[in-house]
Structures are given as C-alpha cells and as structure tokens.
Amino acid sequence: MQGHTRLFSCAMRLFLRCFRLGRRRGRSKLLKRAGELWSYGKLCAKSLFYNSLTNSDVIIDSLFEPIYWLVDHVTRWFGVAFVFLVIVLTSSIVLIVYICLLPLILDTYSPAWIIWHVCYGHWNLLMIVFHYYKAARTSPGYPPQMKTDIPSVSICKKCIAPKPPRTHHCSICNRCILKMDHHCPWLNNCVGHFNHRYFFSFCLFMTMGCLYCSISSRDMFIDAYNAVETYYQTPPPPFTFKERVFHKCIIYLWVLCSSVALALGGLTLWHAVLISRGETSIERHINHKEKHRLQKGKVFQNIFHYGRMNNWKVFFGVETKSHWLTRVLLPSAHPPYGDGLTWTHSPTATRRTLLAV
C-alpha cells in the first residue's frame, strides 16, 4: 500500500512539473510574440524617417493615404455626374437668358445696345462651349510606356516607366500625365500638356460670361427680390404665375452667376499667376519646397520660366500678332508648343541652378 502511495505521489510531482514548464513555455512564446510586434512597430515608425528629406509633410501624407485613396475613387466615379451638372446648370442659365432677358433687351434697349448684347453674348457662349468640349475630350498627353531615347528625370513608382520632365502620375486616371497641372472633376479629365490651354480658356470665358450675366441682370434682380418679399403680405400682391416664375428665374440666374464668377474668378486668377511664372499647380508646390531646401550659395531658378510675356505666348501658341485674334479670341484647335516630352530650357539657366522637375 505504501508503495502505491509513493508511486502516485511521484506521478503527481512529475505532472505538476510538466504543467509548470508548459506554462513557462507559453508565457515565453507570448512575450516573444509581443517583442516581435513591438520591434515591427518601431521599424514601421522609423521607416518614416529613412532619410534627411523626410519631414512632417511625408508623415501627414502617409497617415492620410487611406483618405486620399477614398477621394481618388469617389472622384473617379463621380466625374460623369460633375460633367452632367455643369451642362445642366449652364443650359439652365442660357434658357433663362433667351426666354426672360433677351425679349426684354429687344423691347427696351437701343439698337446699339441690342447689337452689343447679341454679339458679345453669343461670342462668349461659343467660346465657353468650344473650350469646355475640347478640355473634356482632349487627351492631356501620356509618356511612352516603352523604353525610348527621350530624356527622363526619374522612374514612376506606379507605372514603373521613365518620367520625362514636368510629368507626374495621376492616381485617379492611374497614368502618368505630360506637364500635369491637376485632375479636374468638372471635366472628368486630367489637365495636362495638350488641354491646359482649353481648361484655362474655359475658366476665363466662363468667368467673363457669369460677370456679364450678373452685371446685366443686377437691376432686374433687385426688382425681382423686392417683388418676392411682398409675396407673403396681406392681401397678397396681384402677381400672375408667369410673373412669379420670372422673378424666381431672375434671382436664380443672378445668385448662380455671381457665385460662380466669384469662385471661378479666383481660380482663374491663380492659374494666370502660375502661367506668368511658367509653372503648373504641382510645380508651384515642388518649387516652393525646393527653395527652402536649398543650401547657402545655391540659387533656385525655374528653367521653364521664359519671362512673363513669353510664357503667355508659349502657353497660347502665339507666334505672330494676328494669333492673338485667331488663336486666343476665336476658337482654335491648334496644338500646344512642343510635344510635352522635351523642353527648351531658359538661356539664363546655369550649372548651379537646381532643375525643377
């Protein structure tokens, strides 16, 4: 009996030792796994500071990458809806002008003013329609995917292909764009080398058209607004249904045109400043960062800046004085200067100049 008891006690001691050993091994595995996760987290955090060029902008871009991805995909799918909205809003303004304003102009204005409004209004409308269609339907320009002898400044990390100067990758189009300025959701297209002039001309003439409608209908807007304010008086004013619709259409026209003129006018002025400097929207951001990054003794110079007037001539493709009329003030589908792959550098560029890419 005592032998059985000793045997049972030895077996229990052995079992308890194995159980404690297993618990210790389990704890060691958990601690090892936690240590690996901690090391991996530290590695991910330190990877944000992998060289001297990393700054707060890189960290913020990394943290907001999921938001950028969501915005890119939403913009890609809603581009068609934005184009449809532009067409609908513009068409509604044109209908109101033809139905409400034009008959009033023909009845009350002098022949000279009638000729002015009819000629200017239809010319402005023609320029808006032409440049919007060309900006939306013209390809911005893409670099060749195959290996060529064309000089490149870097390799695109997304396309795994050479990038010529002024070329950038569009995450929405998922392609590299020659002389990319930005992706415009209102065009459902990128603004690049071959349609940049159409985009700016559309913004310019749309702003001019909105200002024209807003200024021309200002007095009618004041009268219509005062009339609408009397709708809820007792007794109500004797306005017919047609007159009420007329008042609301005038208010809609003035508010929409004034708002678009204010917003689009600011955008047009900003792009005019960039064109005068020989920059695109992306290059403006890059050049601003390069100016701060330069060390002492180096001077930054934009090699694509040919002088204010020459920048405008290159942008509009003006070669003779008559081109200001035929290529700027009239619809023209002439190609832009150059092929977008190679660029003629400014003669004032020196070896100590940092190239803008």
Side-chain angles (χ1 to χ4, degrees):
M1 188 66 180
Q2 292 180 356
H4 288 290
T5 303
R6 290 178 181 177
L7 182 62
F8 178 75
S9 61
C10 291
M12 289 299 296
R13 291 193 193 99
L14 182 62
F15 174 76
L16 290 175
R17 289 179 181 177
C18 293
F19 180 73
R20 291 174 181 174
L21 183 62
R23 291 180 62 184
R24 290 176 182 176
R25 290 180 179 177
R27 288 181 181 177
S28 63
K29 288 182 178 181
L30 291 176
L31 293 175
K32 184 179 180 181
R33 181 59 178 170
E36 291 176 353
L37 293 176
W38 175 254
S39 301
Y40 180 73
K42 289 173 61 178
L43 179 63
C44 292
K46 291 181 178 179
S47 65
L48 296 175
F49 305 92
Y50 67 96
N51 59 25
S52 60
L53 300 179
T54 303
N55 51 25
S56 59
D57 293 339
V58 176
I59 299 176
I60 294 175
D61 289 343
S62 301
L63 295 177
F64 279 87
E65 188 65 28
I67 299 177
Y68 297 152
W69 179 88
L70 180 62
V71 171
D72 290 344
H73 283 70
V74 169
T75 305
R76 184 182 305 170
W77 285 105
F78 278 86
V80 178
F82 290 152
V83 172
F84 179 76
L85 184 62
V86 171
I87 296 174
V88 169
L89 293 178
T90 305
S91 301
S92 66
I93 296 299
V94 173
L95 286 176
I96 292 174
V97 170
Y98 273 104
I99 296 174
C100 300
L101 297 185
L102 187 58
L104 192 62
I105 291 174
L106 296 176
D107 292 338
T108 58
Y109 282 34
S110 63
W113 277 109
I114 291 175
I115 294 174
W116 153 254
H117 282 288
V118 171
C119 293
Y120 176 81
H122 286 87
W123 168 79
N124 202 339
L125 178 62
L126 174 64
M127 298 298 285
I128 291 173
V129 174
F130 172 79
H131 286 103
Y132 184 76
Y133 175 80
K134 295 294 289 185
R137 299 297 298 173
T138 302
S139 171
Y142 310 108
Q145 296 296 316
M146 300 177 62
K147 186 177 181 180
T148 60
D149 295 332
I150 298 174
S152 59
V153 295
S154 62
I155 300 295
C156 178
K157 298 179 181 178
K158 302 292 182 65
C159 299
I160 315 300
K163 286 201 308 183
R166 314 188 81 176
T167 299
H168 301 279
H169 186 88
C170 176
S171 58
I172 300 175
C173 296
N174 199 25
R175 297 189 67 174
C176 282
I177 308 298
L178 297 176
K179 192 196 167 188
M180 180 179 175
D181 187 90
H182 69 286
H183 184 94
C184 180
W186 301 103
L187 300 176
N188 195 27
N189 195 10
C190 260
V191 177
H193 178 65
F194 290 100
N195 65 345
H196 194 183
R197 176 176 66 89
Y198 297 129
F199 165 78
F200 177 79
S201 297
F202 164 72
C203 293
L204 176 62
F205 289 112
M206 178 63 83
T207 302
M208 293 171 57
C210 291
L211 286 174
Y212 166 72
C213 292
S214 179
I215 295 173
S216 300
S217 62
R218 178 179 176 275
D219 294 336
M220 286 182 286
F221 164 75
I222 295 175
D223 295 338
Y225 183 81
N226 293 331
V228 171
E229 287 291 318
T230 63
Y231 282 1
Y232 305 101
Q233 292 181 358
T234 304
F239 290 124
T240 63
F241 176 77
K242 185 178 180 179
E243 292 174 336
R244 291 173 180 265
V245 172
F246 177 83
H247 295 156
K248 294 179 180 179
C249 287
I250 294 298
I251 294 175
Y252 166 78
L253 179 143
W254 192 87
V255 171
L256 180 61
C257 288
S258 300
S259 303
V260 172
L262 184 62
L264 194 59
L267 179 65
T268 305
L269 288 175
W270 168 246
H271 278 277
V273 172
L274 294 179
I275 295 170
S276 299
R277 296 174 177 173
E279 297 176 325
T280 62
S281 299
I282 297 178
E283 290 170 353
R284 172 61 178 168
H285 176 68
I286 295 175
N287 294 346
H288 180 72
K289 292 177 64 176
E290 291 298 315
K291 289 179 182 178
H292 290 281
R293 194 179 67 85
L294 285 177
Q295 300 176 358
K296 293 182 179 180
K298 293 183 179 180
V299 179
F300 176 83
Q301 183 177 354
N302 180 15
I303 60 175
F304 307 115
H305 179 41
Y306 310 122
R308 294 184 183 275
M309 183 55 65
N310 289 332
N311 288 337
W312 283 103
K313 290 181 179 180
V314 171
F315 180 78
F316 282 119
V318 174
E319 299 174 0
T320 62
K321 292 182 179 180
S322 62
H323 285 167
W324 289 106
L325 173 63
T326 58
R327 293 188 172 185
V328 179
L329 298 180
L330 292 176
S332 176
H334 65 277
Y337 172 79
D339 56 4
L341 297 173
T342 57
W343 297 88
T344 302
H345 294 168
S346 173
T348 58
T350 61
R351 292 183 178 179
R352 298 181 69 184
T353 299
L354 189 66
L355 299 183
V357 296

